[in-house]
Amino acid sequence: DAMVIQNPRYQVTQFGKPVTLSCSQTLNHNVMYWYQQKSSQAPKLLFHYYDKDFNNEADTPDNFQSRRPNTSFCFLDIRSPGLGDAAMYLCATSREAVGAQYFGPGTRLTVT
Amino acid sequence: QKEVEQDPGPLSVPEGAIVSLNCTYSNSAFQYFMWYRQYSRKGPELLMYTYSSGNKEDGRFTAQVDKSSKYISLFIRDSQPSDSATYLCAMVWVQGAQKLVFGQGTRLTINP
């Protein structure tokens, strides 16, 4: 089945220790997104790629970076995680920018 | 004023009841509307995707869009305990930055 896959599902990192979350998709969609979701809140868009074009949200901290080496994969790098970065990180894809977005299962990040 | 308003609930109804979930929005540029279901500690799952005003039905779910009133609804018929989840409305506009704007989410519990 075509899907959005995120690894790992759970990630524990230490304060200040860089961490990378990964997302892959078999939908062959043009657009990939990274969201941060904290408890009882709606997902918050961090950035997205339309093909290779990177689009950063204005309020996304510099601590968050992303890479999309090919159509299928996208990575979220957190350079120096703080306690406030503990959250669920969701990857989503859409065929076009105004299309329906399909989410992966998420990676729950804990910062100790 | 938030761009998308959604009552966070919680909403609790007996099994078999008809559930009505609603969102209002302020920006008439929104053109595409979605409803997502999110179980605890999981990624959002796309339930409905609509564009035009009117109704769209899929099994027990009906999405309704009223662009003149800037109001969207999701109806769940014959509700089941497995429908217990948080329901997020989301919408995207076509002009300018094309990103998904979420409502806060409504936490729904169906009691057996």
Side-chain angles (χ1 to χ4, degrees):
Chain A
D1 288 341
M3 59 179 61
V4 181
I5 302 161
Q6 290 188 244
N7 286 302
R9 294 293 313 279
Y10 301 92
Q11 176 73 57
V12 180
T13 191
Q14 293 177 339
F15 182 94
K17 186 175 181 180
V19 65
T20 295
L21 310 181
S22 74
C23 177
S24 63
Q25 54 128 344
T26 60
L27 298 161
N28 202 31
H29 282 173
N30 294 315
V31 195
M32 295 186 77
Y33 309 80
W34 279 105
Y35 288 87
Q36 179 192 65
Q37 187 178 28
K38 296 189 175 180
S39 182
S40 301
Q41 296 183 20
K44 177 181 180 299
L45 183 64
L46 296 173
F47 23 60
H48 74 277
Y49 277 93
Y50 190 107
D51 288 334
K52 295 181 180 180
D53 292 334
F54 177 70
N55 298 272
N56 197 34
E57 291 300 299
D59 58 354
T60 298
D62 292 340
N63 197 27
F64 292 86
Q65 305 286 320
S66 185
R67 297 169 283 135
R68 190 179 184 185
N70 54 52
T71 301
S72 301
F73 284 87
C74 196
F75 299 96
L76 170 62
D77 301 306
I78 308 176
R79 293 192 297 188
S80 182
L83 296 178
D85 296 328
M88 173 80 91
Y89 289 88
L90 296 163
C91 175
T93 72
S94 63
R95 183 172 300 281
E96 296 296 336
V98 293
Q101 292 187 20
Y102 296 87
F103 285 82
T107 294
R108 180 163 295 278
L109 178 69
T110 299
V111 181
T112 61
Chain B
Q1 182 189 7
K2 292 181 181 178
E3 285 187 287
V4 180
E5 298 277 359
Q6 183 178 8
D7 186 340
L11 179 62
S12 182
V13 301
E15 183 176 357
I18 296 175
V19 176
S20 172
L21 305 167
N22 310 297
C23 288
T24 59
Y25 60 96
S26 56
N27 190 340
S28 59
F30 286 123
Q31 296 292 323
Y32 296 86
F33 306 90
M34 282 146 268
W35 285 95
Y36 288 89
R37 176 175 64 194
Q38 186 172 25
Y39 292 114
S40 181
R41 297 178 178 268
K42 305 287 187 184
E45 172 192 2
L46 180 67
L47 287 177
M48 302 291 277
Y49 174 62
T50 58
Y51 168 70
S52 48
S53 284
N55 294 350
K56 180 178 181 180
E57 190 172 317
D58 185 359
R60 296 185 295 111
F61 299 92
T62 299
Q64 190 175 80
V65 174
D66 183 345
K67 288 187 178 179
S68 62
S69 301
K70 300 189 183 68
Y71 188 89
I72 67 171
S73 299
L74 178 71
F75 299 96
I76 307 173
R77 291 185 300 281
D78 188 24
S79 55
Q80 306 292 313
S82 58
D83 295 327
S84 299
T86 295
Y87 289 79
L88 294 151
C89 66
M91 48 199 77
V92 63
W93 62 59
V94 179
Q95 298 92 348
Q98 296 167 350
K99 70 176 187 180
L100 208 57
V101 180
F102 284 92
Q104 188 175 350
T106 299
R107 189 153 56 94
L108 173 68
T109 300
I110 308 297
N111 300 304

